[in-house]
Amino acid sequence: MKEFDPNIIDEAAAIIDRGGLVAIPTETVYGLAADATNDKAVARIYEAKGRPQFNPLIIHVAGPEMAQRYVSFSPLAEKLSDAFWPGPLTLVLPRRPDSTLSLLVSAGLETVAVRAPNHPIAQALIRKADRPLAAPSANRSGSISPTTAQHVRESLGARVDLILDGGPCPVGLESTIVKVDGDHAVLLRPGGVARENIERVTGAPLKIQKSSDRPEAPGMLASHYAPNAKLRLNADAPASNEAFLAFGTAPAHPHRLNLSEAGDLTEAAANLFAHLRALDAICAEYGLKGIAAASVPHEGLGEAINDRLARAAAPRN
Ligand code: TXA
Ligand code: MG
């Protein structure tokens, strides 16, 4: 993390208080944060992102205590928050009838997505503002999630009142989203916590809800994480007119970036979005046909990496 001026947290909290937008670093990706209890502030998020209004947002809390003011925890939900908060796990839980959250946050659903981020700057701002922050990834809708403050600047620029620069995000992938309904848990989105680790806590296999074709998590559109360049998956080797997203030992290539030379999935996750952006720019600069991506093992964080790659490769209009 970069050196940080504590006064800027006061400035950021004042912006939140008056309904403005602050881009914040979290351990996963940068978030575009606003007061989750203020309808106008939440509406500004959708406006800045150019995001369809029916797409619900994650609220970011300091911890379970703050979350319990807005959503109901079943014993299973409590077990999961105990095990993984603060951290890259989002729980979708029933909204409390007395919740003061903006109704826009969950876009009409009876449930709310909530997580406690594990990042000192995000935590400091939530505590200073003393309220939950609604925050989607801080990029224009449909583009790649930002893992540095510079990515946020490029994508949103003047649409944000303040960008807090916390350096590169250590996890680099969005949170894992699990919907908990009583004693029943389903995986809505693979992410920063590997499924195996969640199953170790729940003691049962986690069912996957294919959310791309469900109205319930409309943000999981097939082509949600798209670079401009065409992406070819599971490539053994790149063609001469392709850029190459390598993993592990890889053939030499003039336009190659490696997710992890050591074949480490955590390192690969942290590099994924920044490498996709960089190769996208290289394709444009050199007039290449697209990006060839090496295959990544489907275990641990590999599940989330493959999910994002599949979305980035999906046909779009
Ligand atoms: O790591 C992350 O989760 C980042 C950082 C900033 O916290 N945030 C993030 O937010 O990825 P966003 O808005 O890009 O994605 C949130 C996802 C969307 O796919 C949305 O549809 C889903 O969460 N979601 C939100 N509320 C939901 C709900 N009540 N039920 C089901 N899905 C929900
Ligand atoms: Mg997003």
Side-chain angles (χ1 to χ4, degrees):
M1 205 184 91
K2 287 187 150 185
E3 272 193 44
F4 209 72
D5 171 8
N7 292 330
I8 203 149
I9 295 295
D10 293 346
E11 188 188 333
I15 291 169
I16 294 294
D17 193 52
R18 58 169 192 264
L21 300 181
V22 179
I24 57 168
T26 80
E27 78 280 35
T28 59
V29 300
Y30 275 75
L32 180 61
D35 179 353
T37 64
N38 176 335
D39 285 319
K40 274 196 190 141
V42 174
R44 274 189 202 116
I45 294 178
Y46 292 111
E47 193 186 5
K49 279 192 64 99
R51 162 181 273 199
Q53 296 245 337
F54 48 74
N55 194 357
L57 306 175
I58 296 172
I59 68 160
H60 296 69
V61 294
E65 214 182 307
M66 190 184 277
Q68 273 157 8
R69 294 183 217 153
Y70 305 99
V71 291
S72 314
F73 282 72
S74 66
L76 177 60
E78 237 165 69
K79 217 170 162 182
L80 288 169
S81 62
D82 280 352
F84 297 108
W85 283 7
L89 176 70
T90 294
L91 296 173
V92 172
L93 301 174
R95 171 200 286 265
R96 279 174 59 142
D98 59 348
S99 143
T100 54
L101 291 175
S102 157
L103 287 175
L104 261 187
V105 161
S106 48
L109 300 174
E110 295 298 312
T111 53
V112 178
V114 54
R115 84 178 189 97
N118 186 16
H119 193 289
I121 295 174
Q123 280 285 337
L125 181 57
I126 294 165
R127 287 170 198 275
K128 187 82 201 176
D130 193 25
R131 73 197 80 180
L133 301 179
S137 50
N139 53 281
R140 292 282 287 172
S141 191
S143 61
I144 298 166
S145 290
T147 55
T148 67
Q150 184 55 29
H151 295 159
V152 180
R153 254 173 244 124
E154 286 163 12
S155 190
L156 294 173
R159 294 185 179 90
V160 202
D161 296 308
L162 178 68
I163 299 173
L164 296 178
D165 189 344
C169 300
V171 176
L173 276 177
E174 299 90 342
S175 59
T176 301
I177 305 181
V178 172
K179 182 175 183 181
V180 184
D181 194 358
D183 58 3
H184 186 78
V186 281
L187 179 68
L188 298 187
R189 175 177 79 181
V193 177
R195 176 229 293 261
E196 294 89 325
N197 294 341
I198 296 171
E199 291 174 337
R200 218 167 284 140
V201 171
T202 61
L206 198 54
K207 273 191 226 124
I208 303 185
Q209 179 169 312
K210 275 281 169 217
S211 36
S212 55
D213 45 26
R214 291 293 168 91
E216 185 155 34
M220 299 303 291
L221 300 172
S223 70
H224 201 62
Y225 297 88
N228 294 316
K230 208 167 153 4
L231 189 67
R232 183 167 68 84
L233 300 180
N234 300 316
D236 292 327
S240 58
N241 59 354
E242 286 178 317
F244 187 36
L245 183 66
F247 177 82
T249 320
H253 187 74
H255 305 298
R256 184 190 85 179
L257 287 176
N258 204 324
L259 288 170
S260 168
E261 250 160 67
D264 179 283
L265 289 166
T266 304
E267 184 186 13
N271 285 329
L272 179 65
F273 291 144
H275 280 9
L276 278 175
R277 276 167 194 274
L279 291 176
D280 207 12
I282 285 172
C283 283
E285 186 178 344
Y286 294 91
L288 302 179
K289 192 180 100 190
I291 303 167
S295 68
V296 173
H298 206 76
E299 66 198 30
L301 291 188
E303 184 175 10
I305 294 170
N306 284 323
D307 173 81
R308 302 307 187 274
L309 284 173
R311 285 172 203 285
R316 55 199 109 104
N317 29 25

